[in-house]
Amino acid sequence: MSFTDQKFWHKVQNFSRKMGCPLLCKALQLYYVFRDVNTPRQAKIAIVGALAYLISFIDAVPDLIPLIGYGDDLAVLAAAMAAVAAYTKDEHRVSAETQVTKLLPDCKCVD
């Protein structure tokens, strides 16, 4: 499965509660780093790989398994965030936090 904005937003909007706060925060932060025109190509490649894994139905641990289903996704996103940390700006964090609050009002993103 390839990454597209449409597939990403479908997953985020329809599964945000199941994904939970930490995963949603990381996914959205990576998305905003990816959308930044100043983010280098190699960083965008790492981000696309991680976000494609998130939206894929093929998973090491199926997302439908309660409590642990998104654990592998969280690990992949955390690794991608570490890889692109130098390109992550405050504006990306703020954009992610704003969107997360719309989807999960009680959720607060922390680094």
Side-chain angles (χ1 to χ4, degrees):
M1 172 178 263
S2 61
F3 173 80
T4 65
D5 283 353
Q6 182 181 7
K7 290 176 185 176
F8 174 77
W9 285 109
H10 172 77
K11 179 83 172 201
V12 165
Q13 290 171 339
N14 291 303
F15 296 95
S16 58
R17 287 221 182 279
K18 290 182 181 178
M19 291 165 69
C21 189
L23 180 65
L24 187 59
C25 289
K26 285 177 177 36
L28 286 165
Q29 188 171 321
L30 283 170
Y31 177 79
Y32 288 113
V33 175
F34 172 75
R35 298 300 299 158
D36 188 330
V37 296
N38 295 315
T39 300
R41 186 171 189 266
Q42 74 272 13
K44 288 186 177 198
I45 290 169
I47 294 168
V48 164
L51 294 180
Y53 186 82
L54 173 67
I55 64 174
S56 175
F57 293 108
I58 300 170
D59 247 347
V61 179
D63 294 340
L64 299 175
I65 298 174
L67 302 177
I68 63 166
Y70 283 103
D72 58 323
D73 299 88
L74 185 58
V76 169
L77 294 182
M81 285 187 71
V84 303
Y87 310 109
T88 304
K89 302 173 186 171
D90 287 338
E91 65 192 65
H92 303 139
R93 291 181 189 92
V94 170
S95 295
E97 179 84 38
T98 300
Q99 189 63 41
V100 165
T101 302
K102 290 178 186 176
L103 295 164
L104 298 175
D106 295 333
C107 178
K108 296 292 181 228
C109 297
V110 292
D111 287 333

